[in-house]
């Protein structure tokens, strides 16, 4: 039979092993929770008809998230560019999430729902998924936009400066890049190709 000392040290080693495993598991859970809190997929929004949409539905897709306006000097150019992006990359996994916003010069007067859809149809703007009108800055900013504008070391954070600011989000729901209001949607093509390519490996 093993001596009491051998049994004791064996028991202590087993306890240490279990403690280490439990600590690693706890740290892994905490890391996952931190990453999830920073993920676009952790949010729920309303579509243009005010139905709840869990953004986990878009997990596995590359996303462009953009605040749109119907009466901005950039509207025609941006609608056309977004339509072209979706036509080019939609079948490969790109989704465009459009959030109407009236905070900049009152340039999105259209109401949610059918009026919004009729407006986009009239403009021949096949720009993807359309959500309820929101605020993107200030105390009333939508939680999703509070996440998007949070300062990060490798991104230009801070307030949304105007209509049609675009965020590129990877398949895991992490913000990859931000593009200013005047950036043509085609300027996103290289980064979109990169993210779509990563998902196909």
């Amino acid at each position: 039979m093993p001596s009491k000392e051998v049994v004791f040290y064996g028991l202590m080693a087993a306890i240490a092993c279990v403690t280490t495993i439990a600590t690693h598991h706890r740290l892994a859970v905490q890391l996952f929770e931190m990453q999830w809190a920073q993920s676009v997929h952790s949010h729920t929004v309303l579509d243009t008809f005010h139905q709840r949409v869990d953004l986990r539905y878009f997990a596995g897709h590359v996303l462009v998230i953009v605040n749109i306006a119907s009466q901005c000097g950039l509207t025609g150019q941006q609608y056309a560019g977004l339509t072209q992006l979706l036509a080019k990359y939609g079948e490969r996994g790109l989704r465009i999430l459009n959030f109407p916003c009236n905070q900049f010069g009152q340039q999105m007067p259209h109401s949610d729902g059918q009026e919004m859809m009729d407006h986009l149809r009239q403009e021949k703007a096949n720009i993807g998924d359309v959500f309820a009108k929101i605020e993107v800055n200030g105390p009333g900013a939508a939680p999703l936009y509070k996440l998007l504008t949070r300062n990060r070391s490798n991104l230009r954070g801070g307030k949304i400066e105007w209509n049609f600011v675009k965020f590129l989000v990877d398949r895991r729901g992490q913000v990859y890049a931000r593009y200013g209001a005047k950036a043509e949607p085609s300027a996103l093509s290289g980064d979109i190709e990169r993210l779509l390519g990563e998902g196909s490996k």
Side-chain angles (χ1 to χ4, degrees):
M1 292 180 62
S3 67
K4 291 182 179 180
E5 286 188 355
V6 171
V7 172
F8 173 77
Y9 287 117
L11 180 60
M12 293 301 293
I15 292 173
C17 182
V18 170
T19 301
T20 300
I21 292 172
T23 300
H24 286 173
H25 175 72
R26 184 170 64 253
L27 291 174
V29 169
Q30 290 174 347
L31 178 60
F32 173 80
E33 289 176 345
M34 289 173 59
Q35 291 175 335
W36 178 249
Q38 295 176 4
S39 171
V40 164
H41 300 154
S42 68
H43 289 264
T44 300
V45 296
L46 298 179
D47 69 15
T48 190
F49 294 100
H50 292 193
Q51 299 298 308
R52 290 172 62 86
V53 178
D54 189 332
L55 294 186
R56 282 182 294 184
Y57 172 77
F58 297 100
H61 292 275
V62 173
L63 306 178
V64 173
I65 300 177
V66 54
N67 60 309
I68 64 172
S70 61
Q71 297 182 359
C72 175
L74 301 173
T75 297
Q77 161 197 324
Q78 292 289 324
Y79 277 0
L82 292 169
T83 297
Q84 291 166 8
L85 269 190
L86 191 60
K88 184 175 183 179
Y89 296 113
E91 291 187 359
R92 293 176 57 189
L94 177 71
R95 299 293 289 268
I96 301 178
L97 279 52
N98 301 273
F99 289 88
C101 177
N102 201 37
Q103 280 190 292
F104 304 103
Q106 305 292 300
Q107 293 180 350
M108 180 47 99
H110 293 84
S111 299
D112 290 336
Q114 196 58 50
E115 182 178 336
M116 186 68 66
M117 300 308 293
D118 288 344
H119 155 67
L120 293 171
R121 190 175 300 110
Q122 183 177 3
E123 296 295 322
K124 298 181 180 179
N126 182 22
I127 57 177
D129 299 273
V130 183
F131 296 89
K133 191 181 296 186
I134 61 169
E135 293 185 2
V136 297
N137 288 330
L144 173 62
Y145 266 80
K146 290 180 179 178
L147 170 67
L148 293 173
T149 56
R150 187 178 300 158
N151 285 319
R152 292 173 173 80
S153 59
N154 62 334
L155 293 174
R156 183 159 54 91
K159 293 174 62 175
I160 301 297
E161 65 269 23
W162 194 244
N163 305 306
F164 296 103
V165 172
K166 295 161 285 290
F167 292 87
L168 184 60
V169 177
D170 68 20
R171 295 179 188 269
R172 297 174 294 111
Q174 302 297 313
V175 178
Y176 180 82
R178 173 175 172 167
Y179 308 82
K182 293 183 178 180
E184 295 269 3
S186 60
L188 284 64
S189 293
D191 286 337
I192 290 172
E193 288 275 7
R194 188 173 299 110
L195 293 182
L196 290 173
E198 288 177 359
S200 63
K201 292 178 181 178

